[in-house]
Amino acid sequence: MKALQEGLRQLARYPSAVAGLVIIAGLVGLSIYTVASMPLSEGIRLWRGSEGVWLENPKNAMPRWVNLFPGVNLPETVVLSTTASPGLKRVEALSEDLKQVSIAFAFNYPYDDFPQEVSVFLEGTYEERRPNVSLSWKTPDGREIRLGERPVRAAETYRLSQDARLQRRLGGRAPEVGLFADPGAEKPVPLKGTYSLIVEGLLFGESDDLDAKLVVYGKVHGLAGSDHRRRDIMVALLWGAPIALAFGFLAAVGSTVTTMVIAAIGVWYGRWVDGLIQRVTEVNLILPVLPILIMVGTLYSKSIWVMLGVVILLGAFSAGIKTYRAMFLQVKESPFIEAARAYGASNLRIVFRYMIPRVVPVLVPQFVVLIPTYVFLEATLAVLGLGDPVLPTWGKVLEDAYSNGALYNGYYYWVLSPSVLLMLTGLGFAMLGFALDRIFNPRLREM
Amino acid sequence: MQRLGVRTGAPATALARVGKYTLVRGVALFFTVVVGVYLTILVANMGGYVDQIRRASIWEMVAVGVAANPELQELSPAERRRLIEQQVKILEERMGLDRPFAVRSFMYLKNALTLDLGRAEQLTSDSGSRQVRLILLERLAPTLLLFATAQLLLFFVSVFVALFLSRRYGSTLDRAIVALAPTSAAPAWFYGVFLILIFAAALRVLPFGGMVAAPPPRELLQYALSVLRHLILPVTAIVVSAIFLTIYYWRTFFLIYSSEDYVEMAKAKGLPSSAIERRYILRPTLPTIITSFALTLITLWTGAIVLETIFNWPGLGRLLFRAIGLTDTPVIVGSVVIYAYLLAVTVFVLDIVYALVDPRVKVGAESPRS
């Protein structure tokens, strides 16, 4: 405990170590929050969910905070539905088996830009005849635009933005522009004020019912924006943190500890064991790591656990063995080892209780510096399309962004948010690791 | 750094020791290459599973061919099946699939080791050749251009800046470099994404990727200028991603050497700092610098898979990635075997140079005692 306090006090003298620790604490906090607020199964369901899960999200929308910039006032998504607020629905019995349902969706539109799309989702419950529905659109200046009549099946989606006839009636303008444009202005400018969509339905049965939902897709969404499949990027940003940390940590622990143990065993037993370990290390140095991982990913399995296993396997016999070996050779000749041997300690006891603890201080900084390497390795694999097919990770957001031409199309947020998180992770661990290196290896500190 | 006693011995025995050492190292390294390449062959063939994929695709190809041939429509299903089986057998024999994988894997190994790289299964060079040698050669030029530019720039700039800094230890610039060293935690492609975002997407001053404008300019000068323009971003990405850490390492390395007693002595003698640098710091560190330079040169060969993918650079890295995607084993094995040979030869040469140059490296002795 005292040693830990002393260590922390020493760390506090390095501003970069403090900054690194703060970043790491932030990432760990983010991970804990994510795991606590959204179980992994839920995260996977949301991330793998198609349009069904994300029906109410706009495509490729920017994060909401862009509206904080001066002069930017992009529309947010408006969702109004009779299932969520039944008060919007009025039912009137016209005769014994004829009912009229009137639904009025009114919303305020104070934005400087047009929405991305407008859709109406209708859901009818009927016995024999389909309900008949007519839709009309009221603008703030009192104009009324009829959107047509249609019979409704069990579930009907009316995408106004794809209605070619409506587009012709609006003078060739795309419906989401035409419906919101100020008729007085020359260039299309949205008219601010209260719009309403009136849904009137005739029902032909006693138990028949009609529900409707209006979605005016905005151009901003959430804290992180949305992607080409309407998914909230926030899901991947949140879940990316614990996955990146876990992968980086496990891979770094796995490879550094095994490397050290192997080196210690080799030095202690010497002879052919040492020789074999040295030869395996040399073979391993010739094997190109990334191509092997890519081969494993394309040919065998993309599972993150398989990758982790291969990474540890390839990392265990890394060049580090040579460094540790030199250190252990020195330790092996120390008097305390001789003392241990004199009292009859077993071979493994000497390796694990006497030799390895001596070298741990050298290992700690290396281990911390290795973590971001593996975090980026995971991202690298994901960018190549070899990320775990199920998990939402930062690298996969980057891959989606890249394969959908985010940079060409100007969706910078899509690339920036995962990159900034990756960069923070890398910097946090690297800054801490460099400071630790200077504390544990005092030769550098004098410099 | 531990100092080992300098051994003095008769030159004849020293030569014999070097000879024996060279032989042992040579054999060991060759064995290493053999095992490494064989492992790659096993992985790239999925331990033989790729053969089943190949057989299935041959079968499908033949079956579709037979079904589409109007002359064979008249045949009964049994006859048609026999015909398909016959053709499949011929094709499999031609590809050597009739022999067990264990046998063929050693043939692959022999071919790879004798640099008989064979023919690619899917990929072709731009001129249409299936020769793995030609495909690799074609991609070698772009990779060398990109990585040689970047790595040479990186190497010389970092060594000289480090040497400069080691004399100004503790200055603002020195502290800034130390503080910036952690930025190298991110790989080059990561900086590439940022650079593309800034200079290609936002400012529109440099191209997004590729090696030359499309269509390529006719004039040689224009062509060179276009290539140069396309080089800027990837080279910057490589240099930025590594420069601070490299300078930091070299600086620490030089600092350790510049605190030696003989450097203090030289300073006390009043030698100019350039002479101290040349004679007392650079000379004893030369073996390390040469090693690092040699290893840098080998890495040129592999290219960088993701960086080349991000920048759409037609180099070896991207070729390897595509080859893996298509399970084009000959290309994968071909590029790995060349890399392994280069690495082994470099290590071998370095070992000998060390043994001859550095008296502290004990040649042929058993495990060193400190």
Side-chain angles (χ1 to χ4, degrees):
Chain A
M1 205 61 215
K2 219 166 185 185
L4 190 71
Q5 271 178 352
E6 172 63 20
L8 281 177
R9 229 170 28 130
Q10 279 198 333
L11 265 186
R13 286 192 317 198
Y14 292 95
S16 65
V18 176
L21 273 177
V22 169
I23 292 174
I24 294 169
L27 286 167
V28 170
L30 182 68
S31 308
I32 293 174
Y33 166 77
T34 307
V35 176
S37 66
M38 188 199 297
L40 181 57
S41 58
E42 173 70 3
I44 291 173
R45 187 185 71 84
L46 288 175
W47 193 244
R48 310 257 296 160
S50 48
E51 300 253 315
V53 182
W54 299 112
L55 203 59
E56 293 168 13
N57 283 2
K59 267 184 194 176
N60 291 126
M62 288 205 230
R64 197 172 274 163
W65 45 259
V66 295
N67 276 343
L68 293 176
F69 291 109
V72 182
N73 183 18
L74 294 172
E76 298 195 11
T77 303
V78 177
V79 181
L80 292 166
S81 93
T82 50
T83 38
S85 44
L88 296 172
K89 185 159 79 171
R90 235 181 44 244
V91 184
E92 206 179 326
L94 293 181
S95 70
E96 211 167 290
D97 50 1
L98 189 64
K99 282 193 292 188
Q100 188 178 28
V101 177
S102 332
I103 300 166
F105 290 132
F107 60 95
N108 189 28
Y109 196 84
Y111 307 108
D112 289 339
D113 201 349
F114 294 101
Q116 193 179 62
E117 275 176 87
V118 183
S119 293
V120 180
F121 300 92
L122 298 164
E123 209 182 312
T125 331
Y126 57 93
E127 269 166 15
E128 278 162 31
R129 257 185 87 185
R130 293 176 182 178
N132 205 22
V133 172
S134 71
L135 301 164
S136 61
W137 184 259
K138 277 191 179 151
T139 58
D141 54 355
R143 284 171 301 138
E144 189 171 335
I145 303 166
R146 290 186 52 76
L147 302 176
E149 278 183 34
R150 57 186 59 229
V152 171
R153 277 167 301 178
E156 187 101 2
T157 305
Y158 175 34
R159 298 198 180 277
L160 272 67
S161 309
Q162 288 169 13
D163 188 342
R165 265 168 53 204
L166 179 62
Q167 182 164 356
R168 247 176 280 131
R169 276 174 37 221
L170 290 167
R173 279 178 178 172
E176 69 272 13
V177 174
L179 290 176
F180 286 86
D182 184 348
E186 248 174 63
K187 280 208 292 190
V189 189
L191 190 63
K192 295 179 186 180
T194 306
Y195 288 84
S196 44
L197 174 79
I198 311 291
V199 182
E200 295 205 313
L202 280 178
L203 308 179
F204 307 100
E206 219 172 321
S207 56
D208 289 9
D209 200 4
L210 178 73
D211 278 304
K213 180 161 77 176
L214 167 71
V215 183
V216 180
Y217 294 102
K219 284 182 175 164
V220 291
H221 179 82
L223 275 175
S226 63
D227 68 4
H228 61 303
R229 285 165 64 188
R230 301 182 189 274
R231 293 179 296 192
D232 191 344
I233 294 175
M234 203 63 199
V235 175
L237 294 188
L238 282 176
W239 259 106
I243 292 172
L245 291 189
F247 187 84
F249 185 80
L250 288 177
V253 168
S255 52
T256 47
V257 171
T258 45
T259 303
M260 201 172 65
V261 171
I262 290 168
I265 288 176
V267 166
W268 182 249
Y269 289 96
R271 291 165 190 271
W272 66 269
V273 181
D274 194 31
L276 181 72
I277 289 173
Q278 300 265 33
R279 297 295 91 75
V280 172
T281 310
E282 277 155 19
V283 169
N284 193 37
L285 288 183
I286 282 190
L287 295 178
V289 176
L290 191 58
I292 295 244
L293 282 175
I294 294 172
M295 279 187 235
V296 171
T298 25
L299 302 178
Y300 296 86
S301 154
K302 292 191 176 92
S303 155
I304 201 164
W305 299 113
V306 173
M307 289 293 177
L308 188 66
V310 178
V311 163
I312 292 177
L313 200 68
L314 291 175
F317 287 93
S318 65
I321 282 194
K322 303 254 167 194
T323 326
Y324 289 131
R325 189 171 170 271
M327 291 178 206
F328 280 126
L329 280 172
Q330 266 180 320
V331 174
K332 191 184 173 186
E333 306 298 333
S334 309
F336 71 96
I337 298 280
E338 215 157 315
R341 215 188 300 195
Y343 86 70
S346 70
N347 283 333
L348 281 179
R349 187 176 170 85
I350 290 178
V351 168
F352 283 97
R353 299 297 294 272
Y354 290 88
M355 287 174 69
I356 290 178
R358 270 301 164 110
V359 178
V360 164
V362 185
L363 167 108
V364 171
Q366 280 190 4
F367 156 72
V368 175
V369 176
L370 262 182
I371 292 178
T373 316
Y374 289 119
V375 170
F376 275 105
L377 183 67
E378 193 272 327
T380 302
L381 288 173
V383 167
L384 291 173
L386 298 169
D388 192 294
V390 195
L391 296 175
T393 64
W394 296 333
K396 288 181 87 178
V397 178
L398 273 179
E399 190 222 346
D400 281 339
Y402 218 81
S403 56
N404 287 287
L407 291 179
Y408 295 89
N409 297 324
Y411 305 136
Y412 300 148
Y413 67 95
W414 201 358
V415 175
L416 277 176
S417 44
S419 307
V420 166
L421 282 168
L422 275 170
M423 193 72 227
L424 274 179
T425 315
L427 277 181
F429 283 104
M431 288 197 291
L432 179 67
F434 275 66
L436 283 174
D437 204 27
R438 272 183 277 175
I439 292 170
F440 281 114
N441 301 315
R443 234 195 118 93
L444 295 174
R445 194 169 16 157
E446 293 157 16
M447 292 301 149
Chain B
M1 206 161 286
Q2 74 208 43
R3 290 302 220 88
L4 298 164
V6 177
R7 296 215 165 171
T8 47
T13 51
L15 199 67
R17 270 217 315 260
V18 168
K20 188 184 161 214
Y21 173 77
T22 312
L23 197 72
V24 171
R25 281 303 283 162
V27 171
L29 276 170
F30 181 72
F31 184 68
T32 312
V33 171
V34 171
V35 177
V37 171
Y38 190 66
L39 281 179
T40 314
I41 289 172
L42 285 188
V43 177
N45 282 293
M46 297 175 75
Y49 180 68
V50 168
D51 289 353
Q52 287 179 25
I53 303 176
R54 286 196 198 116
R55 282 205 188 91
S57 75
I58 289 175
W59 180 274
E60 193 185 324
M61 193 183 76
V62 171
V64 167
V66 167
N69 192 342
E71 287 175 28
L72 303 174
Q73 295 292 327
E74 307 287 308
L75 294 176
S76 72
E79 276 176 319
R80 200 182 293 181
R81 195 174 168 78
R82 231 190 30 243
L83 187 73
I84 291 176
E85 271 166 7
Q86 235 171 16
Q87 292 193 2
V88 166
K89 195 152 173 278
I90 294 170
L91 280 172
E92 282 184 354
E93 258 168 40
R94 210 186 72 197
M95 290 178 69
L97 283 171
D98 53 333
R99 273 168 296 174
F101 175 71
V103 175
R104 262 177 310 124
S105 69
F106 284 102
M107 277 187 46
Y108 290 150
L109 180 65
K110 189 190 132 238
N111 287 345
L113 291 175
T114 51
L115 286 182
D116 176 7
L117 300 180
R119 290 157 60 84
E121 279 166 20
Q122 318 260 342
L123 290 163
T124 56
S125 71
D126 286 346
S127 51
S129 168
R130 278 267 166 109
Q131 293 282 329
V132 172
R133 192 170 49 85
L134 292 179
I135 298 177
L136 290 179
L137 275 178
E138 194 180 73
R139 300 305 175 99
L140 181 62
T143 290
L144 278 186
L145 176 67
L146 172 55
F147 287 87
T149 314
Q151 298 287 4
L152 294 184
L153 200 66
L154 187 64
F155 183 79
F156 287 110
V157 167
S158 56
V159 167
F160 283 106
V161 171
L163 206 54
F164 173 81
L165 284 182
S166 68
R167 274 188 292 134
R168 283 162 192 74
Y169 164 65
S171 65
T172 321
L173 186 64
D174 182 46
R175 288 218 301 273
I177 296 279
V178 174
L180 281 172
T183 54
S184 300
W189 65 262
F190 188 77
Y191 287 98
V193 170
F194 275 108
L195 290 172
I196 293 176
L197 196 156
I198 298 170
F199 293 101
L203 299 176
R204 305 257 165 199
V205 287
L206 287 168
F208 277 92
M211 194 176 80
V212 68
R218 291 267 173 92
E219 263 179 273
L220 191 66
L221 182 68
Q222 295 294 322
Y223 192 92
L225 281 178
S226 171
V227 171
L228 210 58
R229 248 170 69 81
H230 285 76
L231 257 180
I232 297 175
L233 285 187
V235 166
T236 316
I238 298 174
V239 171
V240 166
S241 74
I243 188 106
F244 297 115
L245 190 66
T246 322
I247 294 180
Y248 175 79
Y249 275 144
W250 283 120
R251 159 201 170 272
T252 315
F253 181 72
F254 287 139
L255 274 176
I256 289 171
Y257 273 86
S258 58
S259 64
E260 297 282 354
D261 292 340
Y262 55 81
V263 179
E264 300 294 331
M265 176 68 190
K267 268 186 205 155
K269 277 201 298 190
L271 284 180
S273 61
S274 61
I276 296 180
E277 255 175 35
R278 245 194 356 262
R279 271 188 252 159
Y280 294 89
I281 301 178
L282 269 185
R283 191 169 296 164
T285 52
L286 212 53
T288 318
I289 296 178
I290 293 174
T291 313
S292 153
F293 185 69
L295 291 174
T296 304
L297 288 185
I298 314 169
T299 57
L300 299 186
W301 169 257
T302 46
I305 293 176
V306 192
L307 189 86
E308 287 181 3
T309 310
I310 291 266
F311 279 104
N312 214 8
W313 192 266
L316 286 166
R318 216 163 55 114
L319 174 78
L320 185 55
F321 180 54
R322 277 188 58 208
I324 295 171
L326 297 166
T327 58
D328 201 328
T329 333
V331 178
I332 303 173
V333 173
S335 52
V336 171
V337 77
I338 289 175
Y339 171 73
Y341 266 133
L342 279 176
L343 189 67
V345 167
T346 314
V347 171
F348 184 61
V349 171
L350 283 176
D351 271 345
I352 295 171
V353 169
Y354 264 23
L356 293 175
V357 169
D358 195 337
R360 285 175 299 180
V361 175
K362 286 184 296 170
V363 165
E366 281 303 299
S367 59
R369 286 169 62 112
S370 58

